[in-house]
Amino acid sequence: MSETIRLDDKLVGKDQPAYIIAEMSANHAGSKERALEIIRAAKDAGADCVKVQTYTPETMTLDSDKKWFKIDKGTWEGENLYSLYQKAYTPWEWQEDLKKEAEKIGIDFFSTPYENTAVDFLEDLGVEFYKVASFSITNLPFLKYLAQKDKPIIMSTGMATLAEIDEAVRTIREVGNEQLALLNCSSAYPSIADDMNLKNIKNLEETFGVPVGLSDHSLGSVAAVTSVAMGAKIIEKHFCMSREIENPDSSFSMEPDEFKKMVNDIRAAERAIGKIDYSISEKEKNSRIFRRSIFAVEDIKAGEEITEENIKIIRPGFGLKPKHWDNVLKTKAIKDIEKGTPLSWSMIK
């Protein structure tokens, strides 16, 4: 078990800022130039990393029109699996250039392989860490093969029961790979708030002793920012240049300005979370004068009794603290006290 993992030159996990991944997926819409543009835009939007997916239609499914290969509901309703993957996949011959572009501009680059030949390809490419998609979490032979590369693995847990997650984690650890992070995930496209169960983040962290984050397919940034407040250390969001560029992922992807705002909100949330600290900041010290304290609200002559009629607990805080109220009542003024004067011990007997 490890509370942190290293992704390229960054530590991810306990006491570290959230690692933010821009998922390209199909948003290149068949254009290598757009894929390169997405990498540059992700960097400008504040992402730590850009992710692609490495598969071909043939490595994912069978070219068949039988009913089992048809999608009958959801975002891709009516699609045939093989034709969907034809539209969505990132050509392998692009990926070396995409990685070089990421390295040139200073953003991390990695991929989601779906079977062993994709892992071999990415190993030859020199990818330093991997993503396991929710749909692969039960493919234990594949997880074992990937884990044997002894590189960090970020694994999404969408659709998985706790038992299935445990089985996948044990499969990775049994080959000696402890470089693992888990992402809470709702594998619906788009996800809705009712299905996200962000409380799983803390539970996954406590159960498996690994860094935990969120693979977020919901619209907007509320879930991502909230998850950081709940302990998420990795945020993955689909990223596009424009949702008007149609592709299988565009409808639930973030445009650059939206992604940048999300990043800024996450960083602001991290600053607000801060640390356990009850010391008083300089700004708070300046505000303390607006607490209530005991003031004379009538002119009080020397020798006159202090009563509820001639003193009150009001703002600002220059007088005796309210906790002294009972001790002050029925004492006597030892000098004249003008209305509007903060009470002090030197004024009463």
Side-chain angles (χ1 to χ4, degrees):
M1 293 188 292
S2 175
E3 292 181 320
T4 60
I5 60 173
R6 183 173 291 277
L7 304 180
D8 279 353
D9 62 346
K10 298 180 183 72
L11 277 178
V12 176
K14 187 176 181 181
D15 300 325
Q16 303 298 323
Y19 186 80
I20 301 176
I21 300 167
E23 162 69 275
M24 183 187 304
S25 192
N27 282 304
H28 52 71
S31 166
K32 182 180 176 183
E33 286 308 311
R34 186 175 293 115
L36 293 166
E37 184 183 12
I38 286 172
I39 292 171
R40 294 187 286 267
K43 170 69 174 178
D44 291 341
D48 295 293
C49 180
V50 65
K51 186 179 82 66
V52 298
Q53 299 189 21
T54 305
Y55 64 86
T56 65
E58 292 79 11
T59 63
M60 289 291 272
T61 191
L62 187 66
D63 186 4
S64 172
D65 288 326
K66 290 185 182 297
K67 62 181 180 179
W68 300 285
F69 298 91
K70 299 272 190 181
I71 301 172
D72 60 7
K73 60 181 68 176
T75 299
W76 304 302
E77 183 178 353
E79 286 274 11
N80 166 273
L81 280 178
Y82 188 90
S83 62
L84 177 66
Y85 296 134
Q86 276 187 318
K87 296 174 187 175
Y89 91 109
T90 302
W92 294 21
E93 60 268 23
W94 295 2
Q95 295 190 25
E96 182 176 6
D97 288 342
L98 300 185
K99 182 173 182 286
K100 285 179 178 177
E101 180 68 15
E103 291 168 347
K104 183 175 81 172
I105 65 174
I107 186 171
D108 293 345
F109 177 92
F110 79 131
S111 182
T112 303
Y114 286 84
E115 43 71 54
N116 295 2
T117 65
V119 175
D120 295 341
F121 170 80
L122 292 168
E123 283 290 290
D124 290 342
L125 205 60
V127 170
E128 294 296 328
F129 53 103
Y130 292 105
K131 169 74 188 297
V132 170
S134 294
F135 294 87
S136 298
I137 197 167
T138 57
N139 188 351
L140 301 185
F142 167 70
L143 294 184
K144 182 176 180 180
Y145 187 83
L146 181 64
Q148 287 171 335
K149 304 306 177 186
D150 199 31
K151 290 182 178 176
I153 295 171
I154 301 170
M155 183 163 62
S156 282
T157 60
M159 305 171 292
T161 65
L162 188 60
E164 288 171 335
I165 297 169
D166 181 65
E167 194 171 32
V169 170
R170 283 190 289 107
T171 297
I172 291 169
R173 287 176 169 165
E174 281 169 1
V175 300
N177 192 334
E178 294 287 344
Q179 304 171 84
L180 177 65
L182 297 174
L183 301 186
N184 187 50
C185 177
S186 171
S187 293
Y189 302 87
S191 303
I192 61 172
D194 291 358
D195 294 337
M196 300 200 72
N197 296 320
L198 298 181
K199 284 188 174 181
N200 286 352
I201 290 168
K202 183 57 67 177
N203 185 256
L204 285 169
E205 180 186 40
E206 292 170 349
T207 302
F208 297 104
V210 298
V212 177
L214 177 69
S215 178
D216 184 13
H217 304 130
S218 67
L219 302 177
S221 60
V222 170
V225 176
T226 302
S227 70
V228 169
M230 299 182 78
K233 292 300 180 181
I234 302 171
I235 299 295
E236 180 186 73
K237 256 310 208 183
H238 283 244
F239 185 96
C240 67
M241 296 309 301
S242 169
R243 281 187 292 276
E244 293 183 4
I245 302 170
E246 289 189 15
N247 68 82
D249 292 347
S250 57
S251 65
F252 53 88
S253 296
M254 272 189 161
E255 295 179 355
D257 58 335
E258 297 168 331
F259 196 96
K260 186 172 185 176
K261 183 180 184 304
M262 179 192 72
V263 172
N264 290 338
D265 288 346
I266 286 171
R267 299 308 178 209
E270 289 174 330
R271 293 193 297 274
I273 292 164
K275 58 188 177 184
I276 298 172
D277 182 3
Y278 291 99
S279 63
I280 300 167
S281 70
E282 287 303 314
K283 289 184 178 179
E284 284 184 316
K285 287 177 183 177
N286 294 334
S287 295
R288 283 162 71 94
I289 63 169
F290 299 110
R291 288 175 165 179
R292 290 177 181 254
S293 65
I294 303 173
F295 268 75
V297 294
E298 300 289 347
D299 290 336
I300 304 172
K301 298 294 185 182
E304 186 178 343
E305 186 175 81
I306 305 298
T307 68
E308 292 186 6
E309 284 70 42
N310 56 27
I311 63 169
K312 277 189 178 179
I313 298 171
I314 58 172
R315 293 184 180 189
F318 293 105
L320 292 173
K321 292 180 179 179
K323 68 180 181 179
H324 298 303
W325 177 259
D326 290 338
N327 296 324
V328 168
L329 286 176
K330 298 187 179 179
T331 62
K332 292 188 176 180
I334 58 177
K335 58 183 178 181
D336 290 347
I337 306 172
E338 188 177 347
K339 177 181 179 180
T341 302
L343 214 64
S344 67
W345 292 119
S346 65
M347 298 175 180
I348 58 178
K349 183 176 180 181

